[in-house]
Amino acid sequence: MDTVRECVCCHDLVELTDPPPVVVEDFDNGGRGVGVGPDQLKCITLDSEFHPICILRAALKTALLQRQNLGLENVREPLSYRILRLSAYRQFTCWVHKRRLGKGVRRVAPSCAVLRIRQEYPSPDGNYVGFLEADD
């Protein structure tokens, strides 16, 4: 079985480094414009959409409620940091890859995004679990 690299820079992912599309209708075919050039983002976490999609509690809670409505999640208040962190990872994946990933279709989240999400929603004991298959 092939081992998936667990730690990458956002500059290493074509989904993030391809130039953003010029035409809005072509959004699904372009990247986020991350790179080292003068007009490029230095990090995906600096994208204006990262915080509202992947960090804001209201967005994460809404995503969890949508999963609950589909019968995929049982949302209970108060939401733990663990649940919010997992929701943030899902939100990031959906935002960047434009589709659901899972069994047999896996992408590594860049370490900068993972660290920023963990900074906002830390584990009380400092221990984190790597990628887990879900909804199967």
Side-chain angles (χ1 to χ4, degrees):
M1 178 178 209
D2 291 334
T3 301
V4 176
R5 192 167 56 146
E6 292 295 333
C7 183
V8 298
C9 174
C10 58
H11 292 236
D12 294 337
L13 299 175
V14 70
E15 295 91 341
L16 302 178
T17 58
D18 283 350
V22 176
V23 181
V24 175
E25 291 80 22
D26 292 336
F27 180 73
D28 289 346
N29 296 324
R32 304 298 311 168
V34 172
V36 294
D39 294 330
Q40 294 179 303
L41 288 171
K42 303 301 181 222
C43 179
I44 191 59
T45 62
L46 300 176
D47 188 295
S48 63
E49 295 179 357
F50 179 83
H51 188 270
I53 292 172
C54 303
I55 299 298
L56 282 182
R57 184 184 177 96
L60 301 178
K61 184 175 177 180
T62 299
L64 286 166
L65 290 172
Q66 288 175 331
R67 289 177 55 80
Q68 178 174 281
N69 290 339
L70 293 171
L72 300 173
E73 193 101 26
N74 188 9
V75 179
R76 294 190 182 121
E77 294 282 355
L79 295 174
S80 70
Y81 275 4
R82 179 181 180 275
I83 296 299
L84 290 167
R85 191 171 54 250
L86 295 176
S87 181
Y89 296 148
R90 271 190 227 100
Q91 288 286 93
F92 178 83
T93 299
C94 182
W95 174 55
V96 169
H97 300 288
K98 323 285 190 294
R99 63 188 183 119
R100 181 190 176 280
L101 302 178
K103 190 173 185 176
V105 184
R106 181 176 177 188
R107 300 287 186 274
V108 178
S111 56
C112 53
V114 171
L115 291 173
R116 179 62 188 94
I117 290 167
R118 287 179 179 177
Q119 178 184 25
E120 193 71 25
Y121 301 108
S123 170
D125 61 6
N127 292 319
Y128 299 92
V129 177
F131 179 86
L132 297 173
E133 298 288 357
D135 305 330
D136 296 324

